[in-house]
């Protein structure tokens, strides 16, 4: 069991069978020590992949993506949900549907910061339906860059995200994999295998 | 001249007399080395203040706030612009008007993560009108916590933010202070003093 799993067991709140709230240390209040440990795991998994850039989406992906960028010694880039008035140049744009919120957003990155020479590691806090990750992959592909893989803090393995990404031949590395949130109980993939 | 000033001179784009775009290293693409240097300066300035928490607002404050939290060994908390469906508990709420975008947002933090025992360092990427910082101060005051100060990456010293905060007896520490963006030229406060 990893430290992240232990922390999820201790502080995670099961809202319902599909929603886990871990906003005491991952995506509202943030514990820099846990994030740094996660970044180190991403680095160990992808260090031979020739990564040139870390890509995430605002807002809760920024913390793990930044510390991962620090480990790799490369820049981090975050896709923005709307067009700020100060971003005037050309953009790559994709649509991402939020399963939890039931909304669809356009997200953009400036064309200046993604190119065909980039090998991009995508980082996010959660993997559920896979729609955020697929939107970010779309942005990299528009730039004709290469996707090194997708690094995820917490994967809801009972949703279809990993399967969809693996069908696209994308390497998915998740620090924590949750098999089930049923009966108000957090079961990790490793535990479910032994039941 | 600090490294941040040098970087702003090199990569900053003057959009008009009040807007400076530094999204190649600070708030779209992010250079973890620059952010880490900024965090170290915040730490050196506020290390005796008994800081228990770093508070910022999504999205572009998250990167400097996280690395500052790492330096202090305390949690980081970011105020959210809307109420996510997974945040069910009681919240402190304030209104922040964006000068650049001409919009007003409600921002919230969970009551669980701010208390009267907290000594809070507020961190943000830009200080202009001071409205974001004042909104964050309002959240700390609702929780009856103490504000250690406001740490800013880039201050537009030709706008009223610093003056307003200092009138409230808030300590403001900015790594870079821009005196003017007139005539498509970036002039820093130190330089302006010698002219």
């Amino acid at each position: 069991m990893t430290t992240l799993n232990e922390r999820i067991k201790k502080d995670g709140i099961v809202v319902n069978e599909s929603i886990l709230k871990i906003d005491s240390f991952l995506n509202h209040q943030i514990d820099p020590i846990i994030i740094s440990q996660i970044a180190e795991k991403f680095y160990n998994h992808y260090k031979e992949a020739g990564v040139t850039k870390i890509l995430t989406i605002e807002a809760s992906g920024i913390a793990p993506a930044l510390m991962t960028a620090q480990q790799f010694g490369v820049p981090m880039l975050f896709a923005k949900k709307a067009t700020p008035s100060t971003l005037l140049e050309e953009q790559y744009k994709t649509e991402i549907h939020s399963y939890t919120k039931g909304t669809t957003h356009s997200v953009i990155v400036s064309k200046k910061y993604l190119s065909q020479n980039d090998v991009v590691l995508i980082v996010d806090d959660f993997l559920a339906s896979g729609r955020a990750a697929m939107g970010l992959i779309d942005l990299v592909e528009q730039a004709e860059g290469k996707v090194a893989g997708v690094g995820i803090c917490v994967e809801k393995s009972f949703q279809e995200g990993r399967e969809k990404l693996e069908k696209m031949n994308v390497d998915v590395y998740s620090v924590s994999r949750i098999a089930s949130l049923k009966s108000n109980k957090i079961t990790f993939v490793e535990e479910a295998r032994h039941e």
Side-chain angles (χ1 to χ4, degrees), chain A residues 140-170:
Chain A
V140 178
E141 287 176 347
Q142 288 180 42
E144 297 177 25
K146 194 182 157 223
V147 174
V150 174
I152 295 292
C153 302
V154 182
E155 173 189 320
K156 292 176 180 173
S157 306
F158 54 89
Q159 285 189 242
E160 69 278 21
R162 172 181 284 269
E163 198 185 330
K164 282 201 276 184
L165 294 171
E166 286 180 344
K167 272 190 188 152
M168 297 164 72
N169 289 317
V170 172

Side-chain angles (χ1 to χ4, degrees), chain A residues 15-85:
Chain A
V15 177
N16 59 41
E17 285 193 1
S18 65
I19 297 182
L20 172 70
K21 206 153 71 77
I22 45 178
D23 67 6
S24 63
F25 61 94
L26 196 74
N27 48 22
H28 178 32
Q29 179 167 262
I30 297 180
D31 177 350
I33 297 165
I34 284 279
I35 302 292
S36 163
Q37 287 168 354
I38 291 169
E40 204 178 323
K41 283 176 182 283
F42 291 159
Y43 178 73
N44 287 333
H45 187 82
Y46 290 107
K47 64 187 171 194
E48 308 296 343
V51 171
T52 64
K53 199 154 286 190
I54 312 298
L55 177 65
T56 190
I57 182 169
E58 63 169 316
S60 43
I62 293 175
L66 177 72
M67 286 206 173
T68 306
Q70 189 179 34
Q71 288 269 340
F72 278 92
V74 301
M76 184 272 265
L77 178 67
F78 68 93
K80 300 189 170 199
K81 276 170 191 160
T83 306
S85 59

Side-chain angles (χ1 to χ4, degrees), chain A residues 41 48 80 99 103 109 117 128 145 189 192:
Chain A
K41 283 176 182 283
E48 308 296 343
K80 300 189 170 199
Y99 176 84
T103 53
V109 294
N117 299 319
V189 168

Side-chain angles (χ1 to χ4, degrees), chain A residues 85-157:
Chain A
S85 59
T86 51
L87 202 71
L88 306 169
E89 73 280 359
E90 285 194 78
Q91 303 162 347
Y92 297 115
K93 188 174 174 179
T94 193
E95 304 293 321
I96 296 181
H97 178 79
S98 165
Y99 176 84
T100 343
K101 296 180 193 169
T103 53
T104 299
H105 288 287
S106 293
V107 307
I108 57 98
V109 294
S110 165
K111 287 194 179 179
K112 285 197 293 189
Y113 307 128
L114 270 185
S115 83
Q116 57 182 2
N117 299 319
D118 276 316
V119 180
V120 180
L121 174 58
I122 290 164
V123 165
D124 210 354
D125 58 339
F126 271 104
L127 175 65
S129 70
R131 286 181 175 125
M134 284 192 297
L136 294 172
I137 290 169
D138 182 36
L139 294 173
V140 178
E141 287 176 347
Q142 288 180 42
E144 297 177 25
K146 194 182 157 223
V147 174
V150 174
I152 295 292
C153 302
V154 182
E155 173 189 320
K156 292 176 180 173
S157 306

